[in-house]
Amino acid sequence: MASSEREYLPDRLYPWEVQKGLATGFAGHWIEYYTELPSTNRRARELAAVNPPEGLVVLAEKQTAGRGRLGRSWFSPAGTGIWMTLLLKPALPPGELPKLTLLAAAAVARAIAAELKLAPLVKWPNDLYLDSRKIAGVLAETAGQAGGPGAYLLLGIGINVNQVSTDFPGELREKAGSLRMSLGAPVDRIALLRRFLTVLEEEYVYACEKGFARVLAYCRQHSFILGRYVEVRSGDRRYRGRAVAIRDDGGLELLLDDEGGTVGILAGEVSCFSGAHEQA
Ligand code: BT5
């Protein structure tokens, strides 16, 4: 056994370890655990076809074809991160669904803050940054007939936990980080996952009953981009300007440089600039 494998053995994300003392109503009550999968979202989609209960979690120690948004890939090496998909059946109007991406990002940030006293920032709409490096991402997908009884939201979450800088391939080394890199010590993945499931369920139940004001407030207070000069790609359009607000509909409001005025963008890809230099 390689020494790196031995190092991570004590905190394998075994379901019975994660579920020990887990005080949720439904999140994580059923966990499908794999040492390796192509992608937890892909496996969750297969499971969604057999009508599993809300709160099912698919976990993999390693993904061989981890996915980001828009066909991008997600680097998911063995034993160092939390690579998971949570299946939800939100009884929400379709217009509210994009806000669940923000809710998941806020829940990851809150769980990290509670467990480790670190303060990650939400990069609208789906990333978390810590010390100017990306440490987590959310990939929300739907499965089944929208609004139908078999409709699921697949919340794919990737959190870099115990990587060191040299674990990342060259193209990610400058921009990706991990909790261990920021904390300076290894992190208990099980405790973090348990905390995340608890916070996420609490936020989700709250939002379904009372709306998303609390999630949006958190994302505004812990934003990586508000006040910064950004470029947003949305479909085949590009906007440049200052990020001035996260609107109540979950969209990002930009104060445009060229035409003046503001625009609200519901989905997109943000690059941040400091003067003329791209940062993230
Ligand atoms: C995301 O996409 O950030 C969503 C990532 C979701 C991953 C989870 S893991 C469990 C579940 N199952 C899956 O198959 N996926 C989900 P996006 O915003 O498109 O960012 C992707 C970009 O982030 C890539 O093009 C890289 O530049 C960068 N990247 C890839 N792997 C990374 C990592 N481990 N840490 C930081 N950045 C990474």
Side-chain angles (χ1 to χ4, degrees):
M1 184 186 298
S3 62
S4 61
E5 264 177 72
R6 217 172 14 244
E7 193 183 336
Y8 298 120
L9 262 184
D11 85 330
R12 287 274 172 97
L13 298 172
Y14 293 129
W16 53 91
E17 298 277 1
V18 175
Q19 287 167 339
K20 215 184 280 169
L22 179 69
T24 55
F26 57 91
H29 284 208
W30 178 10
I31 298 178
E32 290 252 334
Y33 170 85
Y34 300 86
T35 46
E36 186 176 313
L37 272 182
S39 151
T40 56
N41 268 40
R42 197 203 282 187
R43 179 68 188 133
R45 185 173 295 281
E46 291 164 4
L47 291 167
V50 297
N51 201 23
E54 181 168 49
L56 167 70
V57 168
V58 180
L59 271 175
E61 295 287 352
K62 171 183 178 177
Q63 295 183 120
T64 52
R67 301 204 300 245
R69 298 180 305 155
L70 304 169
R72 289 185 289 248
S73 63
W74 182 257
F75 174 63
S76 328
T80 55
I82 294 175
W83 324 127
M84 62 168 281
T85 303
L86 175 68
L87 277 85
L88 296 175
K89 297 184 94 168
L92 291 168
E96 299 282 81
L97 293 182
K99 294 183 199 167
L100 288 171
T101 298
L102 286 173
L103 185 146
V108 177
R110 274 188 53 200
I112 291 169
E115 278 299 311
L116 305 170
K117 310 284 175 268
L118 295 171
L121 297 174
V122 178
K123 179 170 172 243
W124 181 94
N126 74 315
D127 292 344
L128 285 192
Y129 274 68
L130 192 56
D131 298 329
S132 299
R133 288 168 179 269
K134 178 164 169 172
I135 53 134
V138 177
L139 173 66
E141 298 178 313
T142 51
Q145 192 73 42
Y152 283 89
L153 187 81
L154 314 178
L155 268 187
I157 319 279
I159 311 173
N160 296 332
V161 182
N162 278 323
Q163 292 97 334
V164 294
S165 156
T166 47
D167 288 337
F168 291 105
E171 72 276 10
L172 288 179
R173 207 162 287 167
E174 292 303 312
K175 54 184 188 180
S178 75
L179 298 175
R180 178 184 187 159
M181 285 162 63
S182 287
L183 197 66
V187 169
D188 179 349
R189 288 187 304 157
I190 294 172
L192 180 62
L193 174 54
R194 223 185 267 134
R195 177 78 77 155
F196 167 66
L197 291 171
T198 309
V199 173
L200 184 120
E201 181 181 296
E202 198 256 318
E203 284 290 5
Y204 172 68
V205 169
Y206 183 93
C208 289
E209 282 172 12
K210 302 201 167 113
F212 285 81
R214 195 167 84 176
V215 164
L216 293 170
Y218 189 94
C219 292
R220 291 172 187 131
Q221 279 157 16
H222 300 84
S223 172
F224 185 67
I225 58 173
L226 285 185
R228 293 175 73 172
Y229 187 75
V230 298
E231 179 176 282
V232 185
R233 273 160 288 153
S234 179
D236 47 17
R237 299 211 57 181
R238 276 165 192 258
Y239 305 90
R240 276 187 177 221
R242 194 162 300 280
V244 288
I246 293 170
R247 291 181 169 177
D248 288 346
D249 63 3
L252 180 68
E253 184 171 309
L254 284 195
L255 185 59
L256 298 172
D257 7 336
D258 338 335
E259 307 125 61
T262 58
V263 64
I265 302 162
L266 277 174
E269 190 64 36
V270 178
S271 308
C272 296
F273 296 88
S274 162
H277 303 293
E278 186 168 354
Q279 287 199 324

